[in-house]
Each structure stands twice: as structure tokens, then as C-alpha cells.
Amino acid sequence: MISRDVEKILLNVQKPGRYTGGELNSVIKDKDKVDIRFAFCFPDVYEVGMSHLGMKILYSQFNEREDIWCERVFAPWTDMEEQMRKNNIPLYALESGDSLDKFDFIGFTLQYELSFTNILYMLELGNIPLLSKDRHDLFNIVVAGGPCACNPEPLADFIDLFFIGEGEEVDLEVMDLYKQCRANGETKQQFLEKAAQIQGVYVPSLYDVEYNDDGTIKSFTPQNNAPAVIKKRIITDLDNLYYPESFVVPSIEIVHDRAMAEIFRGCIRGCRFCQAGFLYRPVREKSPEVIDRQCHMLCNNTGYDEVSLSSLSSSDYTKIGELLGNLTKWSKDENVSISLPSLRVDGFSDEILSKIKTVRKSGLTFAPEAGTQRLRDVINKNVTEEELMDTCSTAFNGGWTTVKLYFMIGLPTETLDDVAGIAQLGQKVVNAYYNAENRQKGKSVKVTLSTASFVPKPFTPFQWFPQDTMDKLKEKQMHLKDSITTKKINYNYHDSSTSFVEAVFARGDRRLCKALLKAHEKGMIFDGWGDFFSLDKWLEVFDECGIDPAFYANRQREFDELLPWDHIDYGVKKSFLIEECKRAYKNETTPNCREKCSNCGAAQWKRGVCFEKRKNMV
């Protein structure tokens, strides 16, 4: 329900469909008949936010409750921002058209460190004071969750409370506490102190931080009975977990414009650079029957003709063959295609190939991550060159002619020989195409090599490693480019300067809050977009704030250093991460969770892959 004022300005913006609301399956309620209004804010444009599965789940779950109305808010592009400021229109939610300052909760999902400036951008446009200390009432409570909440410190001054871990249960517990505190006439401070007692809730204002002379952290001290360690929340039974029967169908084309079904959470692999693989331990699977039912329901209720099976590694789902068999029973007749993202090189079997051959043949994507076996062992990728060649041959014989391979450069212990190995691996894939007996005759192969710069992330065995300097990363990018000797290989690489700023905020502490505030004052927004990101501006911000960004991004950390996120517990022991880091130095691999338990700590949840074998032995 947008206002007349908004209607008038939409003709002046490039994509008015981003700002109108009114989509199929969006939820409209009477605001006078709900107790809590929740603005779910995605700090990026509509097309990106509407593609995010977590937002779809929580939006629907909140709105299942009669006492909660959850609405969607996205960051307006600069053409819309200009019109909003010119016409004094505050940032509003798509369902009601009400501005952010009309909501009890303003919630942000933290998917990417370079979206942090957009949080301040959206708060300001919505007439919300930026600093939590300036929001005094039990109203306009600003909350945040998602993977980047694992290190909440760079946002500590702005967010009232963080949700740590999976949100379906803890979010609603906080809503219920809020209702209770409001009914009792309690203050915001009293609410926050009580919320901090809920597992999975972190209230940064209840912790004092002291620093050593060298700039490292000396101590985190909880106040007002706040817990010394904040333990993540986890959902152990996915079959009985709420899942939407419908999604809001966007009014314009979005990044991932299809139905999505979550098939499991977590990952068995333990790649040492991969934050998600450690944050979401242990692996918990949904049954094929539940996934099949949810897929069919979503297609019926949205009209989508494609379903994506969402997970960190689709081919690691133990019943993938049975699931695909169930799905093809109805999807073929109803002209629905099944998409399998996140396939592993060692999981692309003939069975999977035969099941997805009916899907339109877009390119296949795999992620070897490193160009040599030595470096793949360092990162614990547990994929061999032989497996990659076998997989590519299977795909080429099955009719595919396009393969994308994703790699990282700047990985710990990497040499220029490892970098050149990426080009050599690409050439071997090209050769595998022409050696495939049943390849498409008369068609040439297209192999794309894409590299991202390694960013050390919290809660990984590589959290102590320094990031390569930008000059070193650029040298490696050029070395790889020069090592490619065929036009059948395309090479794409990610700008190292954005990875540098990402690393600063990924491993930063709450002293970075002043840098974010300064960046906001300078009008910095959409840092994840090449059109807007400016390294020069960021370096200027850091300099004006007296911050050395290399201290966070390019510094080797010692195992005994107190890290900014050490008071957060995601269930993986720090001692385990240290041992994994030491194994990386020795080029030693660790078996995946189904082959052997490595005693990482995730067994404490008493569910998932940690207990599958024990359950089967009883």
C-alpha cells in the first residue's frame, strides 16, 4: 500500500517495480490488530534480497502468527534515494507503506561485510537514530542475524541485539519476551538484559572491551549478569521445522527467480577456508518425502517452473538419487526443472547425470578451489585431479560443453607455481573434452576459470592467517592470466581491493564502528557494487579514524590472542580449529564427517551426522 507521494516519484526511477509491493503471496494485515510489527530489512536492492531463502522463511514464519506482522524493506537504489530525499519520503516497508520508525523491530540480515554501510544508509532514510545508545524507548529495536553476525563487533554500536545461529526459534522467543516486557511497562534496558539470557542472543552494550598496548584485545567483560559466552542456536529436526508453503512472487526479475527447497544444513567436508562449513555444523538432513512435498507445494502456490535444491553441497545429500527420482515423477509432467547448485567434483555421478539430463543444459559449475594437489590438501578440499577429470568427462559425454571452475588465490602457503597450476588444470579440462568419446561433435568447449581472493574468516582454521596484500594478489592474478595459453579458456577475477576491505570487517573489532559511521557521513553506500566501491575513500576513512586496516586484514595472529569473536560459541572448539590450522601447514588432510568424527565439538548438539552411525548401530 504505497502512498500517493510515492506513486508520483516512481516514473522518475529506473525500476519502479522494486518499490511498489503488492506482489502475489505478500501478506497484508490490519496493523491495529497485531501486537508486534517487524520490518525485515535486506541491506541491498530488491532483486538481491528477494532471492534470499532466509528472508523467505522468516517472513512467512513470522506472518503465520496472528500477533506479528512482518514486512519487507530493501535498500533503494540511488535514483530512488534522490527522489525520496527531494520529496521528504522516508524509507518504507512494501506491505503497508509505513516508514521504518513505525516498527517495533527493525531487523537486518547480515550476508556480506560490504553491505554494512547500507545498514546505516537504511536506518537514516527510515528516520531511525543510528547509534543504539540514542534509541532510548522500548520501540524501534534494531536487531541483526545471519552468517556475518558470527563476528558482530564491527556493528556493536548500532545493533541492539544480535541473533547468533539459526533464527527460527530464537527470533520468536525474543518477540514473546518483548510483548511481556512491554505489557509490564519495562524499559528497553530491562528488555535487553532479559533477552541476553536467551540462548543465541548477544547484546553488545552489555560487554566492556579492554585493549592491550599493541592493539589486540585484552578482555571482554560482561555486565548486568550477561553470559560470558554466547552459544549459538541450532535447529536439530528439519523435518518438523516450519517451511513456507508459498513465497512472495516478485514483480520484476530477480537474481534467483525460482522456488527453493532446503535439503540439509551444514557440511561434512571441513574445507579450512569455508566459514559456512563450520558455522552450520553438524549436518542435518530433511527426508526425501518432506523435500518432495515442499517442492511440489511451492510450485503449485507460486507458478514457478524451476526448483533449486539448496544446500552447501547438494551431492552430499545421502538420498540424492531417491530424492531426484521422487521429484522427476511429477516435475517432468508439469514441465518443472530441477536445479542442483553446489555440486562437488567428487559427487557428480552417472545417477545424478541421468536424473538432470532433462533439465536445460546450462553450464556446470565446480569449485576445485586450488590448482595443485598440495594446495588442495592444505585447504582440506579432498578432491583429486583425477576426480575432476572423471567428472568433466562424464559431463562432456552427457552433452555438456560449458564448465565453470571456481578457485581462490592468496590461500595460505600458496606459491606462484600453485597459481600457474590453475591454468594447467583448465587446460586439462579442455583436453578432456576433446578426448570424450560421446561429446557433441562440431561444438567447441568453453572453460571459465574464476578466482576470488582469499579472505580469512572467523570460526575457520584459517582465521589466524594474514590476507595477502593487494599488490601480491594482483601479481598472482596477472601470473595466472599469463599462464593461460588457449582461447578456449576465459579468466575472470575478483577485485582484490574489495576483498581487502571485506577482510578488515570480517576480522575486525568494535573500534571499526567509528569507521562505518565516518563512511556513512561521507555518503558511502553499496560497497558490494563495483559502481560505488572506492578503495581510496575507505583508506581516507581509516586514516581519519586513526585505524590501520592492515592490522585487521594482513596481520598474522597468534593462537593465544583473544580474538574479537572468542566470546561467541558456534559449537566448534577453538582447540580443534588450531589443530586443523597446524595440519594445513603440514599439507595434511582431515577425513570428512561421515568417514570419521574429528571431535570438533559439534556432537554436543546430539543430532545430525555426529549421531547417524551411532543410531544405526543400535
Side-chain angles (χ1 to χ4, degrees):
M1 292 275 296
I2 58 171
S3 67
R4 290 289 180 96
D5 290 338
V6 172
E7 283 184 18
K8 290 176 184 175
I9 66 173
L10 289 181
L11 289 176
N12 299 321
V13 301
Q14 187 180 21
K15 294 185 178 181
R18 290 168 165 167
Y19 313 108
T20 56
E23 307 100 321
L24 175 68
N25 297 329
S26 60
V27 178
I28 304 297
K29 296 187 178 184
D30 184 341
K31 57 189 171 189
D32 296 325
K33 294 182 180 178
V34 296
D35 295 317
I36 296 175
R37 298 190 66 188
F38 192 104
F40 198 128
C41 300
F42 197 97
D44 210 321
V45 291
Y46 178 93
E47 297 95 310
V48 176
M50 283 293 290
S51 301
H52 182 243
L53 180 58
M55 187 176 204
K56 298 173 191 288
I57 293 172
L58 292 174
Y59 174 86
S60 298
Q61 184 188 30
F62 283 178
N63 284 319
E64 283 284 304
R65 289 205 7 186
E66 291 184 2
D67 59 340
I68 301 175
W69 187 12
C70 180
E71 305 182 49
R72 295 161 299 135
V73 187
F74 302 97
W77 198 247
T78 50
D79 56 351
M80 182 64 170
E81 177 203 3
E82 181 184 352
Q83 293 296 321
M84 291 168 69
R85 293 191 189 277
K86 188 186 296 183
N87 293 277
N88 294 316
I89 296 171
L91 183 60
Y92 58 89
L94 293 183
E95 280 73 11
S96 66
D98 288 344
S99 59
L100 277 190
D101 58 1
K102 301 292 192 293
F103 287 81
D104 300 293
F105 284 89
I106 297 102
F108 289 90
T109 178
L110 309 178
Q111 299 297 314
Y112 183 32
E113 289 85 354
L114 292 188
S115 70
F116 287 179
T117 49
N118 273 13
I119 294 172
L120 305 192
Y121 168 60
M122 294 174 74
L123 289 175
E124 188 222 329
L125 283 175
N127 295 326
I128 305 294
L130 301 184
L131 296 168
S132 55
K133 66 181 177 63
D134 295 334
R135 301 187 295 266
H136 306 291
D137 299 328
L138 189 59
F139 190 60
N140 292 162
I141 306 296
V142 179
V143 301
C148 291
C150 73
N151 178 19
E153 294 306 291
L155 290 168
D157 290 353
F158 313 107
I159 307 296
D160 292 312
L161 67 83
F162 290 89
F163 296 114
I164 304 299
E166 296 167 354
E168 287 95 338
E169 294 174 346
V170 65
D171 290 10
L172 294 179
E173 289 174 19
V174 169
M175 303 296 113
D176 290 337
L177 174 66
Y178 178 80
K179 280 177 61 176
Q180 179 188 324
C181 289
R182 190 173 58 186
N184 293 339
E186 296 182 65
T187 64
K188 174 185 175 182
Q189 182 66 21
Q190 289 171 314
F191 163 69
L192 291 177
E193 289 176 12
K194 289 184 176 181
Q197 303 304 316
I198 298 174
Q199 182 181 331
V201 173
Y202 173 51
V203 179
S205 62
L206 298 181
Y207 296 79
D208 291 336
V209 186
E210 281 188 83
Y211 300 93
N212 296 308
D213 292 340
D214 64 358
T216 59
I217 293 172
K218 183 177 182 180
S219 64
F220 271 96
T221 307
Q223 305 294 330
N224 298 46
N225 203 35
V229 175
I230 299 90
K231 188 185 268 300
K232 80 169 179 180
R233 287 296 288 268
I234 186 171
I235 308 297
T236 55
D237 182 3
L238 297 191
D239 271 355
N240 293 304
L241 175 65
Y242 173 83
Y243 201 77
E245 293 185 352
S246 66
F247 291 160
V248 179
V249 180
S251 52
I252 61 174
E253 186 177 351
I254 62 175
V255 176
H256 299 301
D257 207 359
R258 54 188 178 237
M260 282 184 274
E262 189 179 35
I263 61 177
F264 68 89
R265 291 183 183 178
C267 184
I268 61 172
R269 298 291 176 166
C271 298
R272 292 174 179 137
F273 60 85
C274 180
Q275 187 179 57
F278 292 95
L279 293 185
Y280 299 116
R281 289 189 175 206
V283 166
R284 293 141 288 144
E285 293 190 343
K286 281 186 187 178
S287 65
E289 299 77 23
V290 169
I291 299 167
D292 181 53
R293 183 176 71 245
Q294 291 174 347
C295 288
H296 207 170
M297 185 85 70
L298 281 173
C299 289
N300 288 339
N301 291 335
T302 61
Y304 277 120
D305 61 0
E306 181 180 359
V307 181
S308 176
L309 302 181
S310 175
S311 71
L312 291 175
S313 178
S314 301
S315 49
D316 280 337
Y317 181 64
T318 54
K319 297 181 179 177
I320 188 68
E322 179 184 344
L323 173 61
L324 291 173
N326 291 347
L327 291 171
T328 50
K329 287 176 185 175
W330 57 268
S331 62
K332 195 171 181 181
D333 293 338
E334 297 177 22
N335 293 317
V336 172
S337 62
I338 309 300
S339 171
L340 272 176
S342 305
L343 284 171
R344 275 185 60 92
V345 167
D346 57 346
F348 189 77
S349 63
D350 288 323
E351 180 184 30
I352 291 176
L353 175 66
S354 65
K355 292 290 196 307
I356 64 173
K357 273 186 100 168
T358 54
V359 183
R360 56 183 178 272
K361 287 188 178 64
S362 56
L364 287 169
T365 301
F366 300 105
E369 304 294 0
T372 63
Q373 193 59 49
R374 183 199 71 81
L375 195 53
R376 284 193 292 275
D377 290 344
V378 167
I379 65 176
N380 204 46
K381 188 65 184 177
N382 282 325
V383 165
T384 65
E385 184 177 300
E386 183 181 4
E387 286 170 330
L388 175 62
M389 293 306 119
D390 287 346
T391 292
C392 290
S393 296
T394 299
F396 295 147
N397 282 320
W400 273 266
T401 61
T402 303
V403 172
K404 294 180 182 177
L405 300 175
Y406 284 115
F407 298 87
M408 282 191 182
I409 58 169
L411 287 162
T413 78
E414 182 182 65
T415 67
L416 289 179
D417 286 343
D418 294 313
V419 174
I422 296 173
Q424 293 159 12
L425 201 58
Q427 183 62 56
K428 289 175 183 176
V429 172
V430 170
N431 297 342
Y433 176 79
Y434 291 104
N435 291 330
E437 294 179 4
N438 297 319
R439 65 179 170 87
Q440 290 194 46
K441 305 302 183 200
K443 285 199 172 185
S444 64
V445 67
K446 180 182 176 184
V447 176
T448 300
L449 307 178
S450 293
T451 61
S453 300
F454 165 68
V455 177
K457 292 286 178 115
F459 297 100
T460 68
F462 289 167
Q463 64 183 359
W464 294 278
F465 276 102
Q467 184 183 50
D468 273 353
T469 63
M470 286 181 284
D471 287 343
K472 188 66 176 175
L473 289 169
K474 288 173 186 173
E475 178 193 346
K476 290 181 176 180
Q477 288 166 346
M478 293 305 101
H479 186 65
L480 174 51
K481 189 175 182 180
D482 293 340
S483 300
I484 296 170
T485 57
T486 173
K487 291 184 178 179
K488 299 188 187 308
I489 295 177
N490 293 331
Y491 174 41
N492 302 321
Y493 55 91
H494 190 66
D495 180 18
S496 61
S497 60
T498 57
S499 299
F500 172 65
V501 177
E502 180 185 346
V504 171
F505 283 97
R507 297 204 298 177
D509 53 46
R510 59 178 64 184
R511 289 172 295 190
L512 288 173
C513 291
K514 61 182 177 183
L516 277 175
L517 200 55
K518 178 69 70 175
H520 173 71
E521 291 167 1
K522 291 178 178 289
M524 293 166 65
I525 54 174
F526 288 107
D527 287 298
W529 293 73
D531 300 353
F532 294 94
F533 178 83
S534 168
L535 177 63
D536 289 341
K537 282 187 179 180
W538 271 112
L539 294 177
E540 184 180 284
V541 164
F542 292 137
D543 183 58
E544 290 179 18
C545 294
I547 290 171
D548 175 13
F551 177 81
Y552 298 109
N554 308 126
R555 179 174 62 89
Q556 175 79 41
R557 306 199 183 190
E558 301 303 321
F559 290 141
D560 60 356
E561 179 179 333
L562 184 62
L563 302 173
W565 50 90
D566 272 350
H567 57 303
I568 310 287
D569 178 10
Y570 270 83
V572 177
K573 296 180 293 189
K574 191 174 182 180
S575 59
F576 169 77
L577 297 177
I578 289 172
E579 285 306 309
E580 281 294 285
C581 184
K582 291 177 179 177
R583 290 174 70 85
Y585 278 118
K586 300 174 186 174
N587 304 347
E588 292 178 357
T589 61
T590 299
N592 75 55
C593 297
R594 287 206 172 96
E595 292 174 339
K596 181 184 177 184
C597 178
S598 299
N599 193 28
C600 74
Q604 66 180 284
W605 309 114
K606 296 182 169 53
R607 197 67 187 243
V609 68
C610 306
F611 285 81
E612 285 171 3
K613 288 183 179 177
R614 301 175 204 192
K615 182 176 62 179
N616 294 334
M617 288 168 62
V618 174

mmCIF file of all heavy atoms in Angstrom, residues 602-616:
data_model
loop_
_atom_site.group_PDB
_atom_site.id
_atom_site.type_symbol
_atom_site.label_atom_id
_atom_site.label_comp_id
_atom_site.label_asym_id
_atom_site.label_seq_id
_atom_site.Cartn_x
_atom_site.Cartn_y
_atom_site.Cartn_z
ATOM 1 N N ALA A 602 30.916 -30.376 17.601
ATOM 2 C CA ALA A 602 29.520 -30.272 17.166
ATOM 3 C C ALA A 602 28.643 -31.412 17.671
ATOM 4 O O ALA A 602 27.413 -31.315 17.632
ATOM 5 C CB ALA A 602 29.451 -30.205 15.642
ATOM 6 N N ALA A 603 29.256 -32.484 18.174
ATOM 7 C CA ALA A 603 28.466 -33.600 18.713
ATOM 8 C C ALA A 603 27.649 -33.184 19.935
ATOM 9 O O ALA A 603 26.714 -33.877 20.317
ATOM 10 C CB ALA A 603 29.394 -34.767 19.071
ATOM 11 N N GLN A 604 27.983 -32.024 20.521
ATOM 12 C CA GLN A 604 27.237 -31.558 21.685
ATOM 13 C C GLN A 604 25.760 -31.329 21.386
ATOM 14 O O GLN A 604 24.925 -31.357 22.285
ATOM 15 C CB GLN A 604 27.839 -30.262 22.218
ATOM 16 C CG GLN A 604 27.710 -29.088 21.275
ATOM 17 C CD GLN A 604 28.312 -27.813 21.834
ATOM 18 O OE1 GLN A 604 27.721 -27.183 22.695
ATOM 19 N NE2 GLN A 604 29.501 -27.450 21.354
ATOM 20 N N TRP A 605 25.420 -31.143 20.100
ATOM 21 C CA TRP A 605 24.021 -30.887 19.757
ATOM 22 C C TRP A 605 23.211 -32.174 19.701
ATOM 23 O O TRP A 605 21.991 -32.141 19.576
ATOM 24 C CB TRP A 605 23.930 -30.153 18.418
ATOM 25 C CG TRP A 605 24.798 -28.940 18.350
ATOM 26 C CD1 TRP A 605 25.879 -28.757 17.551
ATOM 27 C CD2 TRP A 605 24.681 -27.732 19.121
ATOM 28 N NE1 TRP A 605 26.447 -27.520 17.769
ATOM 29 C CE2 TRP A 605 25.728 -26.871 18.734
ATOM 30 C CE3 TRP A 605 23.792 -27.307 20.120
ATOM 31 C CZ2 TRP A 605 25.907 -25.612 19.289
ATOM 32 C CZ3 TRP A 605 23.978 -26.046 20.673
ATOM 33 C CH2 TRP A 605 25.018 -25.215 20.265
ATOM 34 N N LYS A 606 23.918 -33.336 19.756
ATOM 35 C CA LYS A 606 23.275 -34.648 19.848
ATOM 36 C C LYS A 606 22.261 -34.896 18.709
ATOM 37 O O LYS A 606 21.202 -35.462 18.906
ATOM 38 C CB LYS A 606 22.576 -34.810 21.209
ATOM 39 C CG LYS A 606 23.560 -34.802 22.380
ATOM 40 C CD LYS A 606 22.852 -35.008 23.700
ATOM 41 C CE LYS A 606 23.836 -35.263 24.827
ATOM 42 N NZ LYS A 606 24.895 -34.248 24.948
ATOM 43 N N ARG A 607 22.642 -34.466 17.516
ATOM 44 C CA ARG A 607 21.778 -34.667 16.363
ATOM 45 C C ARG A 607 22.633 -34.605 15.108
ATOM 46 O O ARG A 607 23.763 -34.140 15.121
ATOM 47 C CB ARG A 607 20.704 -33.574 16.321
ATOM 48 C CG ARG A 607 19.493 -33.870 15.430
ATOM 49 C CD ARG A 607 18.666 -35.026 15.958
ATOM 50 N NE ARG A 607 17.627 -35.388 15.034
ATOM 51 C CZ ARG A 607 16.320 -35.307 15.303
ATOM 52 N NH1 ARG A 607 15.912 -34.893 16.480
ATOM 53 N NH2 ARG A 607 15.420 -35.685 14.406
ATOM 54 N N GLY A 608 22.098 -35.060 14.010
ATOM 55 C CA GLY A 608 22.764 -34.907 12.726
ATOM 56 C C GLY A 608 23.829 -35.956 12.477
ATOM 57 O O GLY A 608 23.823 -37.042 13.063
ATOM 58 N N VAL A 609 24.777 -35.615 11.612
ATOM 59 C CA VAL A 609 25.772 -36.567 11.149
ATOM 60 C C VAL A 609 26.586 -37.140 12.304
ATOM 61 O O VAL A 609 27.040 -38.291 12.251
ATOM 62 C CB VAL A 609 26.692 -35.909 10.090
ATOM 63 C CG1 VAL A 609 27.558 -34.835 10.715
ATOM 64 C CG2 VAL A 609 27.563 -36.939 9.394
ATOM 65 N N CYS A 610 26.764 -36.373 13.372
ATOM 66 C CA CYS A 610 27.548 -36.847 14.517
ATOM 67 C C CYS A 610 26.933 -38.084 15.160
ATOM 68 O O CYS A 610 27.618 -38.841 15.847
ATOM 69 C CB CYS A 610 27.658 -35.743 15.570
ATOM 70 S SG CYS A 610 28.307 -34.178 14.943
ATOM 71 N N PHE A 611 25.628 -38.289 14.958
ATOM 72 C CA PHE A 611 24.938 -39.388 15.651
ATOM 73 C C PHE A 611 24.319 -40.403 14.693
ATOM 74 O O PHE A 611 23.722 -41.368 15.138
ATOM 75 C CB PHE A 611 23.861 -38.816 16.583
ATOM 76 C CG PHE A 611 24.453 -38.216 17.824
ATOM 77 C CD1 PHE A 611 24.981 -36.944 17.796
ATOM 78 C CD2 PHE A 611 24.541 -38.934 19.008
ATOM 79 C CE1 PHE A 611 25.572 -36.379 18.916
ATOM 80 C CE2 PHE A 611 25.127 -38.384 20.130
ATOM 81 C CZ PHE A 611 25.645 -37.114 20.091
ATOM 82 N N GLU A 612 24.493 -40.192 13.373
ATOM 83 C CA GLU A 612 23.887 -41.116 12.414
ATOM 84 C C GLU A 612 24.414 -42.534 12.586
ATOM 85 O O GLU A 612 23.648 -43.497 12.667
ATOM 86 C CB GLU A 612 24.147 -40.633 10.984
ATOM 87 C CG GLU A 612 23.289 -39.446 10.594
ATOM 88 C CD GLU A 612 23.718 -38.850 9.264
ATOM 89 O OE1 GLU A 612 24.640 -39.414 8.634
ATOM 90 O OE2 GLU A 612 23.142 -37.834 8.870
ATOM 91 N N LYS A 613 25.754 -42.674 12.669
ATOM 92 C CA LYS A 613 26.330 -44.020 12.778
ATOM 93 C C LYS A 613 25.936 -44.679 14.090
ATOM 94 O O LYS A 613 25.619 -45.858 14.143
ATOM 95 C CB LYS A 613 27.853 -43.942 12.637
ATOM 96 C CG LYS A 613 28.322 -43.634 11.224
ATOM 97 C CD LYS A 613 29.833 -43.642 11.133
ATOM 98 C CE LYS A 613 30.287 -43.348 9.710
ATOM 99 N NZ LYS A 613 31.762 -43.290 9.601
ATOM 100 N N ARG A 614 25.953 -43.896 15.165
ATOM 101 C CA ARG A 614 25.598 -44.468 16.461
ATOM 102 C C ARG A 614 24.150 -44.948 16.458
ATOM 103 O O ARG A 614 23.823 -45.993 16.992
ATOM 104 C CB ARG A 614 25.792 -43.419 17.562
ATOM 105 C CG ARG A 614 27.227 -42.905 17.638
ATOM 106 C CD ARG A 614 27.348 -41.801 18.655
ATOM 107 N NE ARG A 614 28.494 -40.946 18.340
ATOM 108 C CZ ARG A 614 28.983 -40.045 19.146
ATOM 109 N NH1 ARG A 614 28.450 -39.859 20.327
ATOM 110 N NH2 ARG A 614 30.016 -39.307 18.796
ATOM 111 N N LYS A 615 23.285 -44.148 15.818
ATOM 112 C CA LYS A 615 21.870 -44.504 15.752
ATOM 113 C C LYS A 615 21.684 -45.798 14.962
ATOM 114 O O LYS A 615 20.900 -46.667 15.330
ATOM 115 C CB LYS A 615 21.103 -43.358 15.083
ATOM 116 C CG LYS A 615 19.610 -43.563 14.987
ATOM 117 C CD LYS A 615 18.932 -42.324 14.404
ATOM 118 C CE LYS A 615 19.414 -42.054 12.988
ATOM 119 N NZ LYS A 615 18.756 -40.881 12.376
ATOM 120 N N ASN A 616 22.441 -45.927 13.858
ATOM 121 C CA ASN A 616 22.310 -47.111 13.017
ATOM 122 C C ASN A 616 22.892 -48.362 13.671
ATOM 123 O O ASN A 616 22.538 -49.487 13.324
ATOM 124 C CB ASN A 616 23.002 -46.872 11.670
ATOM 125 C CG ASN A 616 22.311 -45.793 10.868
ATOM 126 O OD1 ASN A 616 21.117 -45.554 11.048
ATOM 127 N ND2 ASN A 616 23.046 -45.136 9.974
#
